[in-house]
């Protein structure tokens, strides 16, 4: 069975340089806030995954189809219209935290918020911590030296 390589991989690109290219001043400030929150939730340093995702930690996944690869355990992207939040786990596993979170939209593998002012940042941090901890067990998150 031939599988295609992942399109989004960890890179050596500078997180600070990426954030400096974000057009909106508000989005740049939100990205700085998220760097702190995600860093505390994971205990990891930020790493660029592909050209626009800031990831924390690395998890190896393996699907029933045989496809496998590595992904950021948790991460975000300060996109133009909404902030995309990613986790190796399903956000729906934590309904009580989603209820506390505030205005958001859920998709298959991510959660979207229009602006950080619309959400409870303490609920977000707890959601990320719990997601990270569960992913470490379920996806055999790799220990990193960074």
């Amino acid at each position: 069975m031939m599988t295609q390589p992942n399109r989004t991989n960890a890179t050596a690109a500078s997180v600070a340089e990426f954030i400096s290219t974000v057009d909106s001043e508000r989005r740049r400030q939100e990205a700085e806030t998220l760097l702190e929150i995600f860093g505390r939730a994971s205990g990891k340093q930020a790493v660029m995954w592909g050209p626009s995702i800031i990831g924390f930690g690395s998890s190896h996944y393996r699907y029933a189809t045989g496809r496998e690869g590595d992904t950021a355990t948790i991460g975000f992207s300060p996109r133009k219209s909404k902030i995309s939040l990613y986790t190796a786990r399903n956000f729906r596993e934590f309904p009580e935290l989603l209820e506390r979170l505030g205005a958001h939209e859920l998709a298959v593998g991510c959660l979207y918020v229009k602006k950080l002012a619309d959400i409870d940042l303490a609920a977000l941090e707890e959601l990320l911590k719990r997601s990270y901890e569960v992913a470490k067990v379920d996806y055999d998150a790799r220990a990193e030296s960074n």
Side-chain angles (χ1 to χ4, degrees):
M1 170 201 264
M2 189 157 175
T3 62
Q4 292 187 350
N6 290 346
R7 291 184 296 161
T8 305
N9 296 296
T11 73
S14 166
V15 171
E17 286 180 24
F18 167 69
I19 291 173
S20 73
T21 67
V22 173
D23 289 338
S24 162
E25 174 64 26
R26 184 185 86 213
R27 276 288 187 261
R28 286 192 301 275
Q29 290 173 352
E30 290 173 327
E32 293 293 340
T33 298
L34 289 171
L35 278 176
E36 293 175 20
I37 292 170
F38 276 74
R40 285 193 307 265
S42 67
K44 300 293 182 185
Q45 294 292 320
V47 173
M48 291 301 301
W49 283 76
S52 62
I53 296 174
I54 301 169
F56 298 78
S58 177
S59 293
H60 187 78
Y61 63 87
R62 186 174 297 114
Y63 296 136
T65 61
R67 180 171 173 79
E68 64 181 283
D70 297 308
T71 187
T73 307
I74 57 176
F76 72 92
S77 184
R79 305 215 187 263
K80 195 172 201 171
S81 64
K82 296 177 184 169
I83 301 167
S84 300
L85 307 172
Y86 305 98
T87 181
R89 294 297 303 190
N90 187 334
F91 285 109
R92 288 179 176 87
E93 294 179 63
F94 310 104
E96 73 286 359
L97 290 170
L98 287 176
E99 189 174 314
R100 279 186 37 216
L101 187 61
H104 67 276
E105 295 174 36
L106 284 173
V108 173
C110 59
L111 184 146
Y112 301 105
V113 297
K114 287 187 180 180
K115 56 187 174 189
L116 292 186
D118 292 343
I119 62 170
D120 178 335
L121 296 180
L124 174 62
E125 189 165 344
E126 183 62 25
L127 179 65
L128 294 170
K129 281 181 188 176
R130 288 176 59 188
S131 296
Y132 190 86
E133 289 302 315
V134 172
K136 282 182 11 182
V137 173
D138 286 1
Y139 290 101
D140 188 31
R142 297 180 298 171
E144 297 175 351
S145 61
N146 61 0

